[in-house]
Amino acid sequence: MSTDRFETLAIHAGQQPDPTTGAVMTPVYFTSTYAQSGPGEHKGFEYSRTRNPTRDALQGCLAALESGKHALAFASGLAATDAVLHLLSAGDHLVLSDDLYGGTFRLADKVFKRLGIEQTFVDVTDPRAVAAAFRPNTKLLWVETPTNPMLKICDLAALASICSPRGVISVCDNTFATPFFQRPLELGFDVVAHSMTKYLNGHSDVVAGALAVRRDDLHEKLAFLQNAVGAQLGPMDSFLVLRGLKTLHVRMERHQQNAQRVAEALQRHKRVQRVTWPGLPEHPQHALAARQMKGFGGMLTCVIEGGLPAARTFLKTLRLWTCAESLGGVESLIEHPAIMTHASVPPETRRKLGIDDGFIRLSVGIENAQDLIDDLFQALDRT
Ligand code: P1T
């Protein structure tokens, strides 16, 4: 593509009118296999676990948006995470952020630990703590920024410069920021991971994951794993995410505008003790976020007075906001991480991070901002 401008790439990268019919939208190639004119004589497609044209289009588009060279689409965000962790072998050491999506923690702690992968969880907002956690057998660093759910920001360029001289593969889960606001590969990271279930698809109707890389060697290993393990994304879901990507830039701008309105309004309500959004000047890493990201995203958290009983009443009394796991869709979702998305994180870790009883996570949608605020206030007034 002859441009590197995001909006144009989101709509066109990886796609061209269908060569047989001229169809403007990439067709959904519902096929498991492809005719060969003789054994091994084919057009690059042999079997859909290995390659499918609809998935190819999505992968091409996502690679362009992340400033990558390659992307791979998986059946879920965790399937993408699983492929990355399969780069490791028994006896290797993995360093992870201490604040992560609960399912990522569970995969590392309950599956890969059993397979002999040593692990250390650190506060990745402190690059010195990350460097201190490295051992001679450290092979991979896994971070989220902003983190789920505490919305901590880590310095990607600083962390990349610690990893690369040691040959440690650096991976950033870019689900919360999306490539519209942050591109870790440009800052020296080796791998970007996504739950495309969230903003990239954007409509809460698909579960999907992805990886993006620049390095050919990593692409080769990860593509091997995608095919060998077999958790790739199907053609219909690939089509839906490809359609979602076309409006990513428009949606993210509105998510962020609404998040700012909601964050500022919540700060004014007397039942709200604390509001966290990377765009607020009082966020501890606000300056870093402003430097590293092109925007602050649509996720925010708050702590309300009255602990669990108040949190329960609040979540049950909302009318427009839906109490549900997940995030990043056009509709506003709200949840209680300690009971819902982060229940698999040990209680002492949750306490240390601040995921406590009054702690609420909001995924601000693109409805009318005043309607969202009015609903939050009527529910808070009843707690
Ligand atoms: O749900 P799945 O598509 O498998 O993606 C897992 C995942 C990976 N990374 C991050 C940062 C995530 O937030 C998630 C999934 N998160 C939720 C379902 C949630 O409500 O936080």
Side-chain angles (χ1 to χ4, degrees):
M1 184 125 285
S2 59
T3 178
D4 58 1
R5 296 196 179 98
F6 194 92
E7 298 82 351
T8 307
L9 293 176
I11 292 168
H12 296 289
Q15 300 150 75
Q16 56 234 341
D18 180 51
T20 39
T21 63
V24 167
M25 280 303 295
T26 303
V28 188
Y29 283 88
F30 277 132
T31 188
S32 58
T33 192
Y34 306 83
Q36 306 195 10
S37 49
E41 293 167 30
H42 53 76
K43 300 182 165 76
F45 297 92
E46 294 163 89
Y47 186 58
S48 274
R49 172 160 35 71
T50 321
R51 256 189 101 187
N52 175 282
T54 318
R55 193 169 83 236
D56 270 7
L58 169 63
Q59 293 179 163
C61 187
L62 185 66
L65 295 183
E66 282 290 0
S67 285
K69 191 168 166 198
H70 313 279
L72 297 163
F74 291 84
S76 69
L78 285 180
T81 309
D82 176 79
V84 173
L85 297 185
H86 266 103
L87 294 171
L88 303 174
S89 303
D92 287 347
H93 177 236
L94 163 66
V95 176
L96 304 103
S97 165
D98 61 357
D99 184 34
L100 287 172
Y101 168 56
T104 307
F105 169 79
R106 183 178 56 203
L107 180 61
D109 183 57
K110 293 281 187 296
V111 179
F112 281 89
K113 196 183 272 177
R114 186 164 54 70
L115 300 179
I117 308 299
E118 298 170 21
Q119 301 169 23
T120 307
F121 293 87
V122 289
D123 179 356
V124 294
T125 62
D126 178 2
R128 283 164 309 181
V130 174
F134 280 4
R135 302 175 190 164
N137 59 338
T138 303
K139 295 284 163 59
L140 198 137
L141 171 71
W142 184 284
V143 304
E144 293 176 0
T145 181
T147 57
N148 181 3
M150 301 312 293
L151 304 176
K152 296 197 280 186
I153 309 290
C154 63
D155 187 334
L156 291 172
L159 293 176
S161 71
I162 295 171
C163 289
S164 69
R166 293 173 171 82
V168 172
I169 299 168
S170 47
V171 187
C172 176
D173 182 332
N174 205 25
T175 299
F176 273 35
T178 83
F180 184 63
F181 287 135
Q182 171 174 279
R183 289 195 279 283
L185 300 180
E186 291 178 1
L187 300 170
F189 261 59
D190 295 315
V191 183
V192 164
H194 275 286
S195 170
M196 299 199 292
T197 314
K198 313 301 189 285
Y199 290 109
L200 297 191
N201 179 57
H203 296 76
S204 303
D205 50 12
V206 170
V207 172
L211 303 172
V213 295
R214 284 184 173 173
R215 283 171 50 181
D216 293 332
D217 62 325
L218 281 176
H219 173 248
E220 201 180 313
K221 287 179 184 160
L222 292 165
F224 170 82
L225 285 164
Q226 185 194 41
N227 182 49
V229 177
Q232 83 298 333
L233 193 65
M236 187 67 215
D237 289 344
S238 296
F239 174 86
L240 287 170
V241 180
L242 191 63
R243 182 166 72 167
L245 283 182
K246 290 176 190 289
T247 54
L248 180 63
H249 47 293
V250 183
R251 288 185 284 109
M252 291 317 292
E253 269 171 5
R254 184 59 66 87
H255 279 297
Q256 143 148 301
Q257 277 170 24
N258 281 3
Q260 176 156 13
R261 292 269 310 272
V262 170
E264 289 169 359
L266 284 175
Q267 283 184 314
R268 292 193 297 270
H269 198 285
K270 59 183 185 321
R271 296 287 286 160
V272 177
Q273 292 173 330
R274 194 182 73 226
V275 179
T276 302
W277 181 58
L280 293 173
E282 51 272 45
H283 185 288
Q285 294 100 30
H286 173 67
L288 170 61
R291 196 168 71 236
Q292 176 167 278
M293 304 171 73
K294 295 196 175 70
F296 303 105
M299 296 300 296
L300 60 94
T301 66
C302 66
V303 177
I304 64 168
E305 263 175 29
L308 193 53
R312 276 195 195 282
T313 308
F314 175 51
L315 293 176
K316 280 172 171 258
T317 314
L318 289 162
R319 298 186 198 117
L320 178 55
W321 292 74
T322 304
C323 176
E325 303 202 4
S326 203
L327 59 112
V330 289
E331 67 290 298
S332 292
L333 300 182
I334 191 161
E335 64 117 8
H336 190 272
I339 296 177
M340 297 169 67
T341 50
H342 290 71
S344 55
V345 175
E348 65 278 11
T349 310
R350 289 206 302 262
R351 250 192 314 279
K352 208 174 79 197
L353 290 169
I355 308 174
D356 43 35
D357 286 350
F359 180 75
I360 309 273
R361 190 188 75 181
L362 297 87
S363 170
V364 183
I366 61 172
E367 301 95 334
N368 179 278
Q370 193 57 51
D371 286 341
L372 294 176
I373 294 165
D374 290 348
D375 191 34
L376 292 170
F377 276 34
Q378 67 79 20
L380 280 169
D381 289 342
R382 284 171 179 73
T383 63

